[in-house]
Every structure is written in C-alpha cells, then in structure tokens.
Amino acid sequence: MSAWVLPDHIADVLPSEARHIEELRRGLLDTARCYGYELVMPPLLEHLESLLTGTGEALDLQTFKLVDQLSGRSMGLRADTTPQVARIDAHLLNRKGVTRLCYCGPVLHTRPDRPHATREPLQFGAEIYGHTGLEADLEALQLSRECLRVADVRDTTIDLADVRIVRSLLTGVSVSPQLLSGIHSALAAKDAGELRVLTRGFPEDSRQGLLALVQLYGDAAVLAEAENALKRISGVSQVLSNLKWLASRLDGASVTFDLADLRGYAYYSGARFAIYAPGASDALVRGGRYDEVGAVFGRNRPAAGFSLDIKQVVGVVPPRALKAAIRAPWGEAADVNAAIGELRSAGETVVCVLPGHESEVDEFHCDRELVQVAGRWVVQAV
C-alpha cells in the first residue's frame, strides 16, 4: 500500500473546499456571537471517564481510545463536543443563571455516522445553560435556522420529537439495556412487527402506545392523533402541547413531527429537533434539550442546544465565488512593496508573480493587475 493513502473515510481538504469551510466557520461563529454565545475550545483528547460518563453506548462505540504514555490512563478522542462543553459550564465556569457557549472544532468517529460521511467532521455547535423554559429550546432552534441561512441552505424542513414520550410509555416497565436498545431501533425503523415481539408481556397501555408511535409521523395533524392515541399515558399531553408551542413560533418554517425518533446520543432529555435539506442524505442539524448532561460533573443544569458538521453543510450548498485578486510584479523596490502593502491592508488579495512564473495558471483568477504608470503604481483591469 502506498504511504500516502489515507484511512477509509478520512480525506484531505483541498483549497477551494477548504476556503468555503473556513468562510462558513467564521460566519457561523459570528452569527452565534450576535446571539450572545461565547466561544470555548475544549481539548480533542480527554480521560475516558470524563469524556464518556453518562453519554450512553452509542457515543462510546464512536470514540477512538488510546493509552496516555505519561499517566498510563485510558484516554479518548472526542466523538462529540457537547459533553465537554457541559463539563466547562459545570466544573470550570460555574456561573449562576444563563450561560451561552459555542464551539467549533474537529471530532473523530470510529465509523462514519451516515452514508458517504467523513470520520473527521468539523463540528459547530451552541449550547444554552440555566433556563428550564421552552424559550431556551426555541432560541436553539432559531439560532440553528439562522446558521443554515448564513450557510445559504434553503428549503429546509424541521422535524420535532420528544424523548419523554417513549420514557413515559416505559415508566414502571422493567426493561434491560439490551431490550431498550432493541425497542429504540425498532421505533427508528418503524418496524411494528419487531416491536410487537419485543413488547410481548408489557402492560397493554405501554405496548399499544409504543405500537402507535410507529405511525405517528407527518404534519401537525400528528399531534392531534397522538393526543388521542396516548391520552391514558401520564405526562404526554403536556409534551405534545410543548411541541405545538415550538412549532407555532417557527415563522415560515416547514415543520413535521416524528414522535418515534430517538436517533442520536443518549443524553437527550426532552424536545429534540432535526433539520433536513434537499441534497443531504441525513439531517444537517440535530439538537434539543439535554438537562442531565452536566450531572456527572456535579452540576445538573438545564441545557439546550444543537450541532452540525460544517463539512456536511458545505457538501450540499453551491460553491462560493472566489474573490478575484490583484496580480503584482515581484520586486524589491520600496515603492512597489508599499503599494502592495496598502492594497493588502485594504483587504485585497495581492499575488506577486515570482520571476520566471509569469505564464503559469492563475489560481486566484486575478481580474486586475498592479502596473506602473507615469512613475506611479496603479491597479488596472486585466
């Protein structure tokens, strides 16, 4: 095997795409800052017990593990940044009241999490801590929509769900972790036959409620159907009312519901959302409420937020036009270097043509050039 062949689902990012990714990264961070979110930079590597405690099996399986040569302790390369940001909020900042944090950095996955995905996503996310009300859930949704608008993603659909519906249906039912995983998988696959087998022996209300979830997806009419189908299950009515409240405040959005959707990591505790767009094989954004995520760090704070993979987003939007540059001669004279410096200070890209390379391909598509006219350096159209 050639030494330069990269591992499966790992790839170099070449100039045009890298420029697009970097422009989008800056735009998303600026957008989050406009909403009052402060940037944090968690480490790529952490002790496993800090990185994974309380996150569930799915994240454990996605995490690369290694041994620290300094301490001999087991460490992991993060597969998701949300638990790290919860640790920062709970253990390092320890503020009272509302805290808004955002982040952007690479994560690593042992396996691609969707068809044709990279195992090295560039994850951007935002989290709001300290508010139990639906206002925080709505803010996370609004910010995620604004981020996709900044990225020029159009014709999106927001899909809403809430993990408390399934939890309410399983209240008082003895379920092993293996059985619970099977139930979640059957719900995600809308496999009523498998669900009937798995729930054999369950209380009738729980069993019929879980089977009803398989059909409870679609437009706003789903909420009325769920109200009727799950009316005997304590707490579900309020959850459905919350989903209706959120949907009613997403002006201009196409909103659907999938009440059996439990995909993702196990730390979600309430309303969840996924945002889809044409051309994407899976959701571009996933988020929701995860009130218990900070409990393992000694501070069980209410929390809501979302994350996305910038590389995935770039793959479904048109390439951004490259800002044309100015071609300039290479020289040591003070006057030409001063002119070049002034142009660069003004935000222009100036490419100096090195001696002997005048006829090579112009990667920056220069539409102007710096020329000397009557003893002065001026910019002219090419």
Side-chain angles (χ1 to χ4, degrees):
M1 182 180 292
S2 300
W4 51 264
V5 174
L6 294 174
D8 290 344
H9 302 282
I10 298 290
D12 295 308
V13 180
L14 301 183
S16 178
E17 185 179 4
R19 173 178 55 81
H20 195 170
I21 288 172
E22 175 59 16
E23 289 176 359
L24 182 52
R25 184 191 70 85
R26 296 179 189 182
L28 296 182
L29 289 173
D30 287 346
T31 302
R33 185 177 64 234
C34 289
Y35 277 67
Y37 287 74
E38 300 173 277
L39 178 64
V40 292
M41 297 181 179
L44 184 62
L45 187 71
E46 278 203 53
H47 296 301
L48 271 181
E49 56 267 33
S50 171
L51 198 62
L52 295 179
T53 300
T55 59
E57 182 184 13
L59 195 58
D60 186 13
L61 294 174
Q62 277 286 49
T63 301
F64 279 101
K65 303 173 179 68
L66 64 155
V67 175
D68 182 8
Q69 297 300 308
L70 291 180
S71 67
R73 296 176 64 181
S74 295
M75 304 188 77
L77 295 166
R78 68 175 178 225
D80 180 48
T81 312
T82 296
Q84 294 183 296
V85 180
R87 173 181 56 76
I88 289 173
D89 172 70
H91 187 62
L92 298 179
L93 295 178
N94 200 29
R95 295 173 180 170
K96 294 182 179 179
V98 172
T99 299
R100 293 177 172 90
L101 302 175
C102 66
Y103 59 87
C104 187
V107 296
L108 289 168
H109 293 166
T110 56
R111 296 176 180 273
D113 62 1
R114 62 184 183 278
H116 312 297
T118 176
R119 291 195 290 163
E120 189 187 13
L122 181 60
Q123 190 181 50
F124 167 84
E127 326 285 347
I128 180 169
Y129 298 91
H131 185 70
T132 59
L134 287 171
E135 296 84 0
D137 302 66
L138 181 60
E139 182 173 302
L141 269 162
Q142 291 172 330
L143 177 55
S144 64
R145 291 181 70 195
E146 182 65 13
C147 285
L148 291 182
R149 188 197 65 78
V150 167
D152 201 26
V153 178
R154 303 175 184 178
D155 302 323
T156 58
T157 298
I158 301 171
D159 197 62
L160 296 177
D162 197 306
V163 301
R164 289 172 294 189
I165 294 175
V166 173
R167 290 183 182 178
S168 296
L169 288 166
L170 294 175
T171 298
V173 183
S174 179
V175 181
S176 68
Q178 183 178 4
L179 179 56
L180 182 61
S181 176
I183 290 171
H184 287 177
S185 297
L187 287 169
K190 305 292 189 288
D191 189 342
E194 178 67 10
L195 202 55
R196 284 191 181 89
V197 173
L198 293 172
T199 58
R200 188 180 294 123
F202 277 31
E204 191 62 17
D205 285 348
S206 295
R207 188 174 196 232
Q208 292 305 317
L210 290 168
L211 289 169
L213 287 184
V214 173
Q215 303 297 326
L216 291 175
Y217 62 92
D219 60 20
V222 164
L223 298 182
E225 294 173 21
E227 187 78 47
N228 182 58
L230 307 176
K231 59 187 176 183
R232 299 179 64 178
I233 307 300
S234 176
V236 169
S237 179
Q238 183 59 55
V239 170
L240 296 174
S241 177
N242 291 348
L243 291 176
K244 186 182 298 184
W245 186 92
L246 287 172
S248 70
R249 282 153 178 80
L250 299 173
D251 297 334
S254 173
V255 181
T256 60
F257 302 86
D258 185 351
L259 303 187
D261 184 11
L262 295 167
R263 286 172 293 179
Y265 301 129
Y267 48 66
Y268 285 104
S269 63
R272 301 180 51 183
F273 63 89
I275 304 181
Y276 297 86
S281 61
D282 197 4
L284 290 181
V285 177
R286 288 195 182 276
R289 181 162 286 278
Y290 26 83
D291 288 344
E292 287 96 19
V293 71
V296 295
F297 306 112
R299 198 171 184 218
N300 196 2
R301 292 248 282 168
F306 70 92
S307 66
L308 59 84
D309 174 15
I310 293 180
K311 291 181 180 179
Q312 182 192 12
V313 173
V314 164
V316 299
V317 296
R320 294 189 175 185
L322 177 67
K323 181 183 177 181
I326 299 170
R327 185 168 59 231
W330 185 89
E332 297 185 79
D335 57 346
V336 68
N337 286 325
I340 291 170
E342 287 181 12
L343 289 168
R344 287 173 174 164
S345 296
E348 296 283 1
T349 298
V350 182
V351 181
C352 288
V353 180
L354 299 177
H357 296 270
E358 292 81 3
S359 62
E360 293 182 0
V361 174
D362 175 11
E363 296 290 349
F364 276 86
H365 309 296
C366 297
D367 64 349
R368 293 156 293 161
E369 61 181 344
L370 186 66
V371 297
Q372 194 172 38
V373 177
R376 296 176 59 247
W377 290 99
V378 297
V379 176
Q380 294 183 345
V382 173

